[in-house]
Amino acid sequence: MDLSECTERLDEELRTADYADLDASANGLQVGPDEGEIERVAFAVDGVRETFERAIAADADLLVVHHGLSWGGFDRVTGRTYDRIAPLIEGDLALYVSHLPLDGHQELGNAAGVADLLELEDRAPFGELGPEHIGQRGTAADPYGPDELRERLEEHLETDEQPVQALDFGPDEIENVAIVTGSGTDWLDEAVATDADALVTGEGKQKAYHEAQEAGTHVFLAGHYATETVGVRALQELVEAWGLETTFLDVPTGL
């Protein structure tokens, strides 16, 4: 498949252009030629030197990641930035990035994947950001107890054996769940406004403890990396269905 065809299909599926004014990440093809044949695609959460080198070792032509290189552009490509980019050029490896577009996808996205593993029903977009949403909410067919929900997250997410932290300030039965992966505690007020019993996200902020306590809402912190592998893996399955060879590069951070 031609590289341009692959990236255009990804852009269309993920609605990359719709997030152009909302996301600091330069989504889409960040590094690579306009044309070129690709046969093997690697997938990873983070676009960093380790994943670049592992993708090259796996003989990949394209690496698809959630967290890319450019967050508002570069002033200079020197020092650590040069060292990080150099393997891409030297290894003839193209880099495609999908940050908020992957978060917001209601079928393939990170939040959608977490909702899948929690078997939520009656789903709706959540996590308002301008005209878009970067999360999802839904209802548990059988309400979870707080410990039960935490254990399910630990069982099904790639937490690198790190425990899921829980701010247990909500009801004994959790039925309505809101999800924004990564760093999503800024959407706690929206979770409360939509009558969520719990907000599931990756990592927290100091103020979230008191906000959750005052609101009487559970917050589950399942890890930034762990909550954002699911969308990347869903993209891998999509691209594999297009007839390309794929591989997933697991580089957990424990965070």
Side-chain angles (χ1 to χ4, degrees):
M1 181 183 292
D2 192 83
L3 174 63
S4 62
E5 179 185 353
C6 183
T7 58
E8 286 169 7
R9 290 173 73 171
L10 286 170
D11 284 341
E12 181 179 1
E13 177 64 42
L14 295 162
R15 298 192 300 111
T16 300
D18 293 342
Y19 289 82
D21 295 329
L22 303 175
D23 200 348
S25 172
N27 297 305
L29 186 66
Q30 279 195 0
V31 178
D34 292 331
E35 303 291 338
E37 286 295 313
I38 58 171
E39 296 180 357
R40 188 172 180 83
V41 184
F43 292 80
V45 174
D46 300 312
V48 293
R49 188 178 183 93
E50 181 174 358
T51 56
F52 299 160
E53 292 175 345
R54 286 179 58 177
I56 293 166
D59 202 27
D61 307 299
L62 171 66
L63 174 63
V64 176
V65 301
H66 183 50
H67 302 130
L69 291 168
S70 178
W71 302 88
F74 303 115
D75 292 326
R76 294 176 176 81
V77 182
T78 59
R80 189 171 59 183
T81 302
Y82 178 85
D83 291 340
R84 181 171 283 184
I85 292 175
L88 294 171
I89 307 302
E90 294 167 358
D92 195 23
L93 177 67
L95 178 69
Y96 182 94
V97 177
S98 187
H99 184 234
L100 294 186
L102 182 56
D103 286 328
H105 198 289
Q106 294 298 299
E107 294 178 3
L108 301 174
N110 289 311
V114 175
D116 285 342
L117 70 87
L118 293 176
E119 298 182 342
L120 301 184
E121 302 175 347
D122 302 322
R123 300 188 198 179
F126 175 80
E128 185 175 337
L129 187 66
E132 300 295 338
H133 293 81
I134 57 171
Q136 194 170 96
R137 59 183 173 87
T139 303
D142 295 313
Y144 288 99
D147 288 343
E148 183 184 5
L149 194 149
R150 177 180 53 77
E151 290 168 3
R152 189 170 181 87
L153 290 169
E154 289 178 345
E155 179 182 356
H156 291 279
L157 289 176
E158 300 175 51
T159 63
D160 196 32
E161 299 184 354
Q162 298 297 315
V164 171
Q165 292 181 284
L167 306 180
D168 288 328
F169 298 124
D172 292 337
E173 290 191 342
I174 299 171
E175 185 174 6
N176 299 313
V177 181
I179 306 165
V180 174
T181 62
S183 181
T185 55
D186 287 342
W187 283 269
L188 181 56
D189 284 344
E190 184 180 342
V192 174
T194 55
D195 296 322
D197 302 312
L199 172 67
V200 176
T201 187
E203 62 181 276
K205 298 178 180 178
Q206 172 72 10
K207 65 178 183 177
Y209 179 95
H210 300 287
E211 291 174 345
Q213 184 181 49
E214 292 165 4
T217 304
H218 295 288
V219 176
F220 293 89
L221 307 173
H224 198 128
Y225 179 89
T227 58
E228 298 199 325
T229 59
V230 284
V232 176
R233 286 192 179 275
L235 271 190
Q236 179 186 3
E237 291 180 6
L238 175 68
V239 170
E240 195 167 281
W242 294 346
L244 292 166
E245 295 182 39
T246 69
T247 186
F248 181 78
L249 309 174
D250 189 22
V251 184
T253 64
L255 300 174

